[in-house]
Amino acid sequence: MKKINKILYIFLFGILINSVYAEIVTFSPLDDMYTDEINTGQHSVDQLWVANYAPVNNYQRIMMKFDISSLAGQDINKAELNIYRFFGCPSGGATTVRIYAILESWDENSWSPETHISYDAGNQYGLYVFSANGMHTIDITSLARAWADSSVDNHGLVMIADDNCKFAKCYSKEASNSEFQPYLEIDYTVPTNVGTDDHDLILKTLELSAYPNPFNPSTNIKIALKNGSKIDIKAYNLAGQQVSEIFSGYLAAGNYTYPFNGANLAAGAYFIIAATEETKECYKILLMK
């Protein structure tokens, strides 16, 4: 089951909002497809096939691309590719695959499904055996770290089966059931000092939330204020830069809702900071496009 946009831990140093957030964020593929150089008449848009079996000319490869630019320069603890296999051949058998970084630009609308893409054969970023149907979790931490620190250009990944491996068929992002769609889950640690200019942090004396979250392109920021106070509500990106002032002024005790529109912002994670004269609350939202 997808666990989207969770703040797992908050480590507080003193009483300032200089904190370390260990978080999990989830990314859906920008593009995903499989290539088949020989069996060109049976390409399925909502499926991802991988095989390398010479007797029947099955040499399918899976290609996937994720935009994790919002995590550029961040400390990635773990990255896991989640993909649902619905068919294994023969009779649910095993398929061993290896994962490599793609070396050229592509997208699923323009890349020919009859052409295998070039990849960095000298560096393997994952090894996995599909041995049953259901959701599979594949560790690609080293590749995600390379994307985040720009040591590898992020053109996505290709999944290639070992010799003599028959089909593993998985669902793509076009699968009609969202629970079967692939996604990338990244656990990362990010220090942030946003909003430390003029307020001390006192733990949760006001409530802050957003719905929907993740969102595209707008969400509602909800505030529950126990005591009347001047309050500033602002949005920041992961670099600590303010991207929006949502509200600034006096509010009586009560519940309030303010719209937030991210149409002009890049996809990724943002922090909402609500600060009164006595307290401050931070809440993470995820804009998906």
Side-chain angles (χ1 to χ4, degrees), residues 173-187:
K173 66 182 179 67
E174 280 80 20
S176 58
N177 188 333
S178 62
E179 293 300 320
F180 298 154
Q181 295 170 0
Y183 61 97
L184 177 61
E185 189 171 79
I186 296 181
D187 178 319

Side-chain angles (χ1 to χ4, degrees), residues 111-137:
W111 188 266
S112 170
E114 301 174 12
T115 304
H116 288 330
I117 203 162
S118 61
Y119 64 96
D120 180 7
N123 292 289
Q124 179 181 301
Y125 290 98
L127 172 65
Y128 191 78
V129 180
F130 289 100
S131 58
N133 292 338
M135 188 65 78
H136 291 259
T137 300

